[in-house]
Amino acid sequence: SGPVSTPIWIVCQPQSINTPLIKNLTMTFDNVHVTSGIDEYDSFCILTKATTLILSYRSTFSQMAALLSSHSNVQVHYPIFDMKPIVSIEVPTWNYHLVNANHDGIAEFNVPTKRITFRLD
């Protein structure tokens, strides 16, 4: 048999489970597990145990889980929609990615934090 792939956990809101994005991810990748976030404690624990996180834009819940990660070298990826994003907190070690105008891809990977004007609205 082939190598076992690392599990991919998708933690999302219950209404997001049947969206095209989630369905596409589960069909594209092997070993994908989707949890609805109904049990907040369980979802938070899954997020804090992850070694790589792709956060939802403006999701304080996932940002806090990333900050409280049990891994000192956690990789955090955060999408931004312009160079003046609204964020709960700026973290220099996170990877900020500029989403393209159609919101269906990345226009620029790893935007340096010194080029971003963070704001709290």
Side-chain angles (χ1 to χ4, degrees):
S1 74
V4 177
S5 65
T6 303
I8 298 172
W9 286 89
I10 299 173
V11 179
C12 59
Q13 296 179 359
Q15 65 269 24
S16 299
I17 285 181
N18 293 316
T19 62
L21 173 63
I22 302 300
K23 287 182 179 182
N24 187 22
L25 289 169
T26 59
M27 290 188 306
T28 302
F29 297 101
D30 293 329
N31 206 5
V32 175
H33 307 277
V34 180
T35 183
S36 69
I38 290 174
D39 182 338
E40 293 92 357
Y41 180 76
D42 187 48
S43 298
F44 198 80
C45 288
I46 290 169
L47 291 171
T48 61
K49 300 276 185 224
T51 56
T52 303
L53 290 166
I54 302 171
L55 306 184
S56 297
Y57 182 69
R58 294 182 75 178
S59 169
T60 306
F61 184 82
S62 61
Q63 290 176 33
M64 292 306 297
L67 289 169
L68 297 171
S69 173
S70 59
H71 301 282
S72 60
N73 60 347
V74 64
Q75 289 185 33
V76 179
H77 300 273
Y78 191 88
I80 57 175
F81 294 91
D82 58 43
M83 296 307 282
K84 294 182 178 180
I86 299 170
V87 296
S88 301
I89 187 169
E90 171 194 351
V91 182
T93 58
W94 288 3
N95 301 291
Y96 294 91
H97 309 294
L98 183 62
V99 176
N100 67 16
N102 294 330
H103 295 187
D104 62 359
I106 301 295
E108 184 177 349
F109 283 93
N110 295 325
V111 178
T113 55
K114 63 184 176 190
R115 288 188 35 224
I116 304 170
T117 305
F118 293 98
R119 58 194 174 99
L120 301 171
D121 287 353

